[in-house]
Amino acid sequence: MNTEQFDHQLFEEFFGEQPQAIIWLQPTYNSANELIDFHYAYCNQEGIKYLGIDRHQMGSLFLSNSPTLTDKLREDFMQELSAIMETEQKSLTSIFNPRLNKYAKVLRYKFRGGVLSIVQDVTEENKIIGRLQEETSFSNSILDTSLSGIFAAKAIRNEYGVLEDFLILRINPAFTQLMLLQPEEVVGKRFLELFPAAKDMGVFELHKKVCDTGITNTIEVYYPRGKEPVWYYISSVKWNDGIVVTFTDVTEQKQATKLIEQNRSLLQNILQHSPAGISVTEVIRDKEGKIIDGRSILANDISSEFTQIPKEILLTKTINEIDPNFMKSHLYQQVLHTLATGKSFHTQYFLQPTQRWLELSISKMDDDHLINIFMDITAAKEAQLHLKRSLEDLKRSNENLEEFAYAASHDLKEPIRKVLMFSDMLKTKLAKTGGAEEKLFLDKIEKATHRMKQLVEDLLLYSQVNQEQNLDEEVNLNDKVHLVLEDLELLIREKGAKITVDKLPTITGHRRQMQQLFTNLISNALKYSKPDVTPEVQITAAIVRGEAIGLPLTPEELGRQYHAIQIKDNGIGFESSEAEKIFNVFTRLHNNSAKGTGIGLAIVRKVVANHHGYIKAEGEKGIGATFTIYLPA
């Protein structure tokens, strides 16, 4: 038996049944006795398996031509093996071989004129370590970024196994912010030592019960935290022989967990208890990557209630199968825009198959998934549409009434003019021959006709207010009031009235309408003055915010500035309960037909409304009246 055969048998006897891969590399020298390569002279069965080669390849396998090595590993191995041959020192290394996609620990040492390599395959161990590191990193990320305070604590039990306290092992940054305690003040301390009030509030008993029974529980408590007592919503869950506690002073939050299954459970709870429909849609693309359809891969139960589509259909049918009109809808274009830009959108969508209106919010999860949150607004939408139709009907009715009032009042002017003309002619004719009774009847006819003429003119004026559309004129209210006072000069002189006017603003609006407004308000103040009392009218102006007006305004209007223009008199006034009634058409609180037609204040309110403003009336019977007009500044 030759030496080579004997050595192979000897290696096989020593290493053939070893559980590790055993490889013996024999050095190769050139004619100058220089080390130039290593031959894979021996490899046990585990080594063959590790390298992934056939045994017949061994005879021609060298370090320089081994397909199991990258060029970098080949260079590193050559340096390492050469050093072992020269120094006879052992080498223990950990490597990753990309060609084999394996991790290994390798022990090498000089043996029988070559280098013996003992290879321990640790690929699976490294994968497990990697997964553990990922899970630990994930858990740490949850703890570090959570807005809720979180702490983990281990149970402290007496010799009978009764739980007496908890030892706090870890806290997150939110814990420090919420409790105003630093980690060194908390970690390693007893729970009751830090929070003695927890026992009286039932919090400790809650944690103890959770740890002993394993049943998760929650509690809401008022906690005396220093000078700033707060309400906490606390959730406690069992963890080994201890607890993990989540608490917040803002909103209820689901406990953060370290395990993926707990996160899935958290997601299921959110889906189950959400008042809104929540689903996740996965897009379906053609070969060119164009989106041609989609399907729901996740949906909560209330999604079926809102859409009235069974959940099994929602999760098995595609969107086009459920709603064939989807690809033609504007919603489809919005979905494409969201996937392209990442920008969420909010819309209302009519689901044709179920005849339901949905209020829908869609956000991008990734390039192939969308998150949909929606509510059934069918009832509200139907009410809105009904209201819109009612408003349109009302608008048409008002327009018809205004046209009728305009036409009627315009056509009545001519007959009234003729009645006055013929009455005057008859009065002249009977001046010499008529008796006292005939003259009395003619006076009554003349007064009634003048009254009707005034009523028709006011009605015509009222119908014309809404027809004036140009509200972009610059109107100096000082000039308008001055013109009104000139027009009312005879009445002011007759009454001996005293009228004071502060400096008024210049606004954007309609000149003629604003003149009508002041004419009606000032003439009203003079008409309804008290007998034997000098009428006094004060006109003032100021700037106020919408929130100071005291009317039910929109949030935008509450923050807006308004010109507050006030007309105050010392006349006969009115009861405060009648403040709104006086703006109605043909309403006269004082039963004296000679003083007005009951249309003037209705015109005032319509002018104010045309200028996007508000008017308030305040009065006290026998004391006077105050009208305040609020126009956007």
Side-chain angles (χ1 to χ4, degrees):
M1 181 178 295
N2 58 40
T3 304
E4 182 179 351
Q5 184 180 10
F6 173 81
D7 287 344
H8 184 273
Q9 289 180 347
L10 181 64
F11 272 95
E12 189 64 28
E13 288 177 7
F14 281 166
F15 307 118
E17 299 301 323
Q18 290 294 321
Q20 297 95 358
I22 307 294
I23 302 169
W24 185 67
L25 294 108
Q26 188 176 34
T28 302
Y29 299 90
N30 60 14
S31 58
N33 201 30
E34 294 174 338
L35 181 60
I36 59 171
D37 207 345
F38 283 89
H39 175 230
Y40 286 77
Y42 173 78
C43 196
N44 69 353
Q45 189 59 37
E46 285 299 318
I48 295 292
K49 182 178 177 182
Y50 176 78
L51 294 175
I53 60 176
D54 295 331
R55 186 169 289 280
H56 71 272
Q57 294 177 270
M58 291 293 296
S60 59
L61 191 64
F62 286 81
L63 191 66
S64 59
N65 65 7
S66 174
T68 67
L69 300 175
T70 63
D71 291 341
K72 180 68 170 60
L73 282 179
R74 200 184 321 278
E75 181 182 344
D76 292 345
F77 283 5
M78 187 65 189
Q79 292 178 0
E80 183 182 359
L81 295 173
S82 299
I84 291 172
M85 290 297 295
E86 182 179 347
T87 64
E88 298 188 4
Q89 291 183 351
K90 293 181 179 180
S91 170
L92 179 61
T93 58
S94 295
I95 65 167
F96 173 68
N97 190 328
R99 288 283 174 84
L100 302 177
N101 195 26
K102 292 179 180 179
Y103 291 89
K105 289 184 178 180
V106 183
L107 173 65
R108 290 190 175 98
Y109 57 91
K110 189 173 181 180
F111 181 76
R112 295 181 68 83
V115 177
L116 190 70
S117 299
I118 303 174
V119 182
Q120 179 67 45
D121 188 348
V122 292
T123 303
E124 289 303 317
E125 290 87 339
N126 272 272
K127 288 181 179 179
I128 292 172
I129 291 171
R131 285 197 295 269
L132 288 174
Q133 288 175 340
E134 288 179 2
E135 290 179 4
T136 301
S137 175
F138 177 67
S139 299
N140 289 338
S141 296
I142 292 176
L143 289 173
D144 292 343
T145 60
S146 174
L147 298 177
S148 296
I150 302 174
F151 70 87
K154 180 178 68 174
I156 298 176
R157 301 181 182 273
N158 62 19
E159 63 270 25
Y160 304 107
V162 177
L163 195 155
E164 294 183 329
D165 206 341
F166 292 97
L167 183 69
I168 297 179
L169 302 178
R170 183 175 181 183
I171 65 173
N172 71 337
F175 182 103
T176 299
Q177 296 172 1
L178 292 170
M179 300 307 297
L180 306 179
L181 292 170
Q182 297 302 314
E184 58 270 19
E185 299 177 86
V186 178
V187 177
K189 302 294 177 60
R190 290 184 172 228
F191 176 73
L192 289 177
E193 176 187 342
L194 291 168
F195 311 110
K199 203 160 192 175
D200 295 333
M201 293 187 298
V203 176
F204 175 73
E205 190 61 34
L206 170 88
H207 296 331
K208 179 179 177 182
K209 187 175 181 180
V210 169
C211 189
D212 287 339
T213 66
I215 300 174
T216 300
N217 211 336
T218 59
I219 191 173
E220 192 175 72
V221 296
Y222 184 69
Y223 188 78
R225 188 192 68 180
K227 296 181 180 180
E228 300 177 359
V230 294
W231 279 96
Y232 284 123
Y233 184 82
I234 303 173
S235 174
S236 182
V237 61
K238 184 175 175 63
W239 170 65
N240 295 332
D241 189 24
I243 54 173
V244 173
V245 177
T246 305
F247 61 95
T248 179
D249 64 350
V250 179
T251 57
E252 177 183 352
Q253 293 183 354
K254 298 294 181 180
Q255 59 188 16
T257 65
K258 297 180 181 179
L259 302 175
I260 295 175
E261 288 302 320
Q262 287 174 305
N263 282 330
R264 289 177 181 172
S265 175
L266 174 61
L267 176 60
Q268 289 301 320
N269 284 331
I270 292 174
L271 293 173
Q272 181 180 350
H273 297 106
S274 172
I278 302 175
S279 66
V280 175
T281 301
E282 181 180 60
V283 301
I284 299 173
R285 302 178 184 270
D286 60 15
K287 293 180 180 179
E288 286 74 34
K290 181 183 177 182
I291 297 173
I292 57 173
D293 207 343
R295 66 164 52 85
S296 295
I297 60 173
L298 180 69
N300 60 352
D301 293 337
I302 205 166
S303 298
S304 296
E305 295 181 27
F306 287 163
T307 60
Q308 295 189 351
I309 299 174
K311 192 172 181 180
E312 57 270 18
I313 293 180
L314 275 177
L315 296 177
T316 55
K317 299 286 187 180
T318 69
I319 294 177
N320 284 330
E321 288 173 333
I322 294 174
D323 186 1
N325 295 318
F326 173 74
M327 296 290 286
K328 304 173 185 176
S329 69
H330 181 60
L331 179 60
Y332 172 67
Q333 300 301 324
Q334 290 179 299
V335 165
L336 295 180
H337 182 72
T338 293
L339 284 171
T341 65
K343 187 176 181 180
S344 302
F345 72 91
H346 185 83
T347 189
Q348 294 179 351
Y349 181 66
F350 184 68
L351 190 59
Q352 189 69 38
T354 62
Q355 299 291 296
R356 310 297 294 175
W357 278 98
L358 301 178
E359 189 168 61
L360 179 63
S361 177
I362 296 183
S363 303
K364 178 179 177 180
M365 179 185 291
D366 55 42
D367 289 342
D368 290 312
H369 295 89
L370 295 164
I371 300 174
N372 317 298
I373 301 176
F374 53 91
M375 296 286 289
D376 184 353
I377 59 166
T378 304
K381 192 70 175 179
E382 289 175 348
Q384 180 184 357
L385 294 174
H386 179 73
L387 178 60
K388 183 179 179 181
R389 287 193 293 268
S390 298
L391 289 175
E392 289 173 351
D393 292 342
L394 181 60
K395 182 180 178 181
R396 283 194 297 270
S397 177
N398 285 339
E399 289 173 351
N400 291 337
L401 285 173
E402 288 173 3
E403 290 175 3
F404 171 76
Y406 178 80
S409 57
H410 185 272
D411 293 345
L412 281 172
K413 290 178 71 175
E414 180 60 22
I416 291 173
R417 187 187 67 81
K418 288 183 178 180
V419 170
L420 284 172
M421 182 182 70
F422 286 120
S423 295
D424 188 58
M425 291 171 62
L426 185 58
K427 187 176 181 181
T428 303
K429 190 172 183 179
L430 294 177
K432 296 179 180 180
T433 60
E437 189 175 14
E438 287 84 351
K439 292 179 66 177
L440 176 63
F441 289 158
L442 281 173
D443 286 341
K444 288 184 178 291
I445 291 173
E446 190 174 17
K447 287 181 180 179
T449 306
H450 278 293
R451 178 72 177 162
M452 182 177 290
K453 180 184 177 185
Q454 183 63 47
L455 181 61
V456 168
E457 287 178 349
D458 285 353
L459 187 60
L460 183 61
L461 185 62
Y462 179 76
S463 67
Q464 289 175 332
V465 171
N466 261 358
Q467 297 175 11
E468 303 286 359
Q469 298 298 323
N470 184 14
L471 300 175
D472 296 328
E473 300 172 324
E474 189 176 272
V475 185
N476 187 320
L477 297 185
N478 297 287
D479 296 341
K480 291 291 117 184
V481 172
H482 181 70
L483 288 174
V484 170
L485 294 180
E486 285 184 350
D487 291 342
L488 298 174
E489 182 180 2
L490 291 177
L491 182 59
I492 294 171
R493 188 181 302 167
E494 176 188 329
K495 293 278 188 176
K498 180 182 178 182
I499 299 178
T500 57
V501 184
D502 283 357
K503 185 176 181 180
L504 302 180
T506 296
I507 67 166
T508 300
H510 192 276
R511 292 192 183 97
R512 185 165 176 268
Q513 288 189 15
M514 294 311 299
Q515 187 167 338
Q516 290 171 354
L517 179 145
F518 283 107
T519 298
N520 282 293
L521 288 175
I522 297 173
S523 62
N524 258 23
L526 297 174
K527 287 177 185 177
Y528 297 105
S529 60
K530 289 183 288 190
D532 303 324
V533 175
T534 299
E536 294 184 7
V537 182
Q538 294 178 322
I539 304 176
T540 59
I543 291 286
V544 299
R545 285 176 63 86
E547 57 194 15
I549 294 177
L551 293 174
L553 307 184
T554 66
E556 179 184 358
E557 291 173 327
L558 288 173
R560 181 182 293 167
Q561 288 189 324
Y562 288 83
H563 294 294
I565 302 162
Q566 191 175 87
I567 295 91
K568 183 177 182 180
D569 65 53
N570 64 341
I572 60 177
F574 55 84
E575 296 288 352
S576 58
S577 59
E578 298 172 326
E580 183 63 24
K581 183 180 177 182
I582 62 176
F583 292 107
N584 295 335
V585 180
F586 301 128
T587 297
R588 292 192 300 272
L589 301 183
H590 310 288
N591 191 18
N592 185 343
S593 60
K595 292 206 174 175
T597 61
I599 298 177
L601 288 180
I603 292 175
V604 168
R605 181 159 68 174
K606 183 169 282 193
V607 169
V608 173
N610 287 348
H611 288 73
H612 310 292
Y614 298 93
I615 184 170
K616 282 172 64 176
E618 299 171 286
E620 188 174 349
K621 199 164 187 179
I623 302 298
T626 302
F627 293 89
T628 307
I629 300 157
Y630 299 96
L631 300 175

